Amino acid sequence: MKKIPFVTKEQLTKIVKQYPTPFHLYDEKGIRENARALKEAFAWNQGYREYFAVKANANPFLIDIMRDEIGCGCDCSSLTELMLSKAMGVTGEEIMFSSNDTPAEDFKLAAELGAIINLDDITHIEFLENAIGTLPKKMCCRYNPGGVFKISNGIMDNPGDAKYGMTEEQMFEAFRILKSKGVEEFGIHAFLASNTVTNEYYPMLAKQLFELAVKLHREMGVHISFVNLSGGIGIPYRPDQEPNDIKVIGEGVRKVYEEVLVPEGMDDVAIYTELGRYMTGPFGGLVTKVIHEKHTHKEYIGVDACAVNLMRPAMYGAYHHITVMGKEEEAEEYKYDVTGSLCENNDKFAVDRMLPKVEIGDLLFIHDAGAHGYSMGYNYNGRLKSAEILLQQDGSAKLIRRAETPKDYFATLDCFPIYDKLFE
Ligand SMILES: *Cc1c(COP(=O)(O)O)cnc(C)c1O
């Protein structure tokens, strides 16, 4: 299968005249259609809600698009993500606060906003009480069953090695304590495998969580009002991967819901999701221009973006497909490393990648950068973060975040004399 950018070379050439590369470009139409399909896949569940994982892409314009389309909430895990949600008018139970190793001030703001607080650890009950006083009436606990998470075609991930969540024993103890402290409504949450490209993950996770919900309900006499399946639905970064079918995933969860929860009379349990990657990943691309070619022991293509703009290849050796704009039909006969400018040898968007003949001035579209792309960026080597641009449904481009300037980079020195010298 071929990966085709959501923008044409003609469109991009126009955009580049107004906004210099590199930048992240997002596809409004794609985001809307995908969000709608998610909502429809879970429409069978009365209380269903998606809480978009803000860490995946913290651009308020994009979150607004998803709110407009499906009324999603925000899954936050830090003070600034809570601040952003508040500023967007997302408050109360529209916020899921799924954090870990949480500072007290973060808990305070979450409680002030009326967010649903999802506790990562049993010791956080006392920590939270110390931070905010009385506990909210509705709370969630994060579960970690340990071991490895296996599906039919192999091991998917390793919860036993993950820092998140409570053991089953701790879940029971936490619920007992929370109940004794006046909590009335409960949710359970787990995130056991990341970027799953299989329709089996959510239904398998749901079964585990539903069975735990039944046990907690029976043994503790608590009302489980929601099960939060969290994130983890993946996207096909590689062109040969079969994409998930969200309709099949939704139906798979419905099937186990009817098998496990309904016979227990627990047919009022709402399903929540905290998807990030699935919501915006494929609908963002990093657009960058080729500025150098280098022929040494290997063939290098130097571009004007770097790992500061998209860290996944450098951080995890992640594959991101690359289209050389305008050369889609040409044979991929040349082997390149596509590099950024950081003084760090892992700053490569691709290693030994077969591409058409690349020339200086070519525009590259680096696919699937819409989640954990811009938001994961950093400022190593003093490199600046790029702009974000929205390709709107009518085909026009709109700036939704300006590029950083040196002033932004040096802002934290503005209380010292050297600051003024920087701009003399
Ligand atoms: C990262 C994260 C998500 C989103 O994960 P995706 O893989 O982007 O879907 C959801 N919930 C929590 C608690 C997370 O940490």
Side-chain angles (χ1 to χ4, degrees):
M1 246 191 315
K2 228 180 159 119
K3 265 190 181 279
I4 300 168
F6 53 77
V7 64
T8 63
K9 188 186 175 193
E10 288 63 43
Q11 279 176 303
L12 208 50
T13 308
K14 244 170 72 188
I15 298 171
V16 165
K17 283 200 182 112
Q18 195 177 359
Y19 305 108
T21 55
F23 53 78
H24 282 268
L25 184 71
Y26 301 102
D27 173 22
E28 175 173 7
K29 184 161 171 282
I31 291 173
R32 285 188 183 273
E33 285 170 2
N34 185 67
R36 214 175 310 139
L38 170 72
K39 192 175 179 186
E40 279 161 20
F42 286 93
W44 56 267
N45 181 257
Q46 268 272 310
Y48 173 72
R49 177 177 274 160
E50 153 71 358
Y51 289 87
F52 176 68
V54 174
K55 77 161 190 267
N57 191 319
N59 189 297
F61 291 89
L62 299 183
I63 298 174
D64 258 344
I65 289 171
M66 287 180 277
R67 284 182 58 70
D68 175 59
E69 195 63 47
I70 62 166
C72 68
C74 288
D75 162 35
C76 299
S77 53
S78 68
L79 185 83
T80 48
E81 289 175 2
L82 287 167
M83 288 171 66
L84 184 72
S85 299
K86 181 185 171 208
M88 293 180 58
V90 183
T91 58
E93 292 193 5
E94 284 193 321
I95 302 176
M96 181 70 60
F97 188 58
S98 291
S99 61
N100 69 93
D101 189 23
T102 315
E105 60 172 348
D106 297 25
F107 273 139
K108 263 189 224 151
L109 181 55
E112 230 173 83
L113 295 175
I116 301 178
I117 295 176
N118 180 15
L119 293 177
D120 182 65
D121 190 43
I122 191 162
T123 61
H124 292 191
I125 299 174
E126 201 184 327
F127 187 90
L128 178 64
E129 266 192 315
N130 289 337
I132 68 164
T134 316
L135 295 177
K137 290 272 171 272
K138 189 179 206 169
M139 295 209 60
C140 185
C141 289
R142 183 168 184 165
Y143 173 52
N144 182 338
V148 290
F149 191 85
K150 286 188 207 141
I151 57 154
S152 54
N153 62 2
I155 294 170
M156 304 251 344
D157 226 321
N158 206 341
D161 234 12
K163 65 173 177 170
Y164 311 107
M166 310 184 202
T167 66
E168 183 162 335
E169 214 183 339
Q170 288 171 335
M171 289 291 284
F172 279 84
E173 182 62 8
F175 271 48
R176 190 187 62 72
I177 298 168
L178 291 174
K179 193 182 169 195
S180 76
K181 292 183 183 290
V183 176
E184 290 165 2
E185 286 193 77
F186 293 83
I188 57 175
H189 168 279
F191 190 161
L192 305 186
S194 188
N195 190 29
T196 61
V197 190
T198 160
N199 296 328
E200 282 177 78
Y201 170 64
Y202 251 19
M204 285 184 64
L205 169 70
K207 187 160 191 281
Q208 280 199 34
L209 285 175
F210 293 164
E211 284 169 354
L212 178 63
V214 166
K215 272 205 246 172
L216 286 162
H217 170 68
R218 276 197 197 152
E219 293 175 31
M220 315 293 302
V222 291
H223 180 227
I224 308 282
S225 63
F226 67 88
V227 169
N228 184 345
L229 300 176
S230 188
I233 298 199
I235 59 171
Y237 285 100
R238 289 176 184 273
D240 58 357
Q241 280 177 300
E242 179 77 27
N244 286 321
D245 185 335
I246 200 67
K247 187 84 202 157
V248 172
I249 292 173
E251 282 306 305
V253 174
R254 184 221 285 254
K255 189 164 165 272
V256 288
Y257 190 98
E258 284 167 359
E259 278 168 14
V260 181
L261 291 181
V262 173
E264 296 288 325
M266 297 170 70
D267 56 1
D268 62 341
V269 175
I271 302 296
Y272 294 160
T273 56
E274 291 173 342
L275 297 169
R277 192 185 315 270
Y278 187 75
M279 302 305 287
T280 54
F283 314 109
L286 174 59
V287 177
T288 181
K289 193 184 272 174
V290 176
I291 55 173
H292 293 288
E293 307 177 19
K294 177 169 177 171
H295 318 282
T296 53
H297 307 289
K298 293 184 89 173
E299 291 296 301
Y300 294 101
I301 292 299
V303 298
D304 61 3
C306 63
V308 161
N309 310 108
L310 176 65
M311 209 199 307
R312 298 186 70 258
M315 188 154 166
Y316 319 110
Y319 180 95
H320 278 262
H321 198 67
I322 296 177
T323 297
V324 185
M325 296 304 291
K327 298 186 175 174
E328 292 84 347
E329 300 309 319
E330 291 181 21
E332 297 172 333
E333 290 176 326
Y334 295 82
K335 193 192 267 185
Y336 296 112
D337 282 12
V338 179
T339 77
S341 59
L342 299 187
C343 305
E344 176 63 72
N345 196 41
N346 65 4
D347 184 18
K348 293 175 180 170
F349 291 112
V351 174
D352 295 333
R353 182 74 54 89
M354 297 308 291
L355 291 172
K357 174 106 183 107
V358 177
E359 284 150 297
I360 291 176
D362 278 346
L363 288 174
L364 304 190
F365 183 92
I366 305 180
H367 291 253
D368 302 311
H372 311 294
Y374 181 94
S375 64
M376 205 185 260
Y378 61 140
N379 279 116
Y380 195 52
N381 258 176
R383 290 281 165 205
L384 305 177
K385 295 175 87 182
S386 76
E388 293 183 290
I389 294 166
L390 179 66
L391 183 64
Q392 301 181 103
Q393 284 177 296
D394 64 4
S396 64
K398 174 178 152 183
L399 185 71
I400 57 172
R401 188 192 300 269
R402 67 166 173 82
E404 272 183 346
T405 66
K407 266 201 155 147
D408 298 314
Y409 178 71
F410 290 118
T412 45
L413 288 174
D414 64 0
C415 44
F416 304 104
I418 194 175
Y419 184 75
D420 295 321
K421 294 214 178 85
L422 288 162
F423 302 102
E424 266 173 11

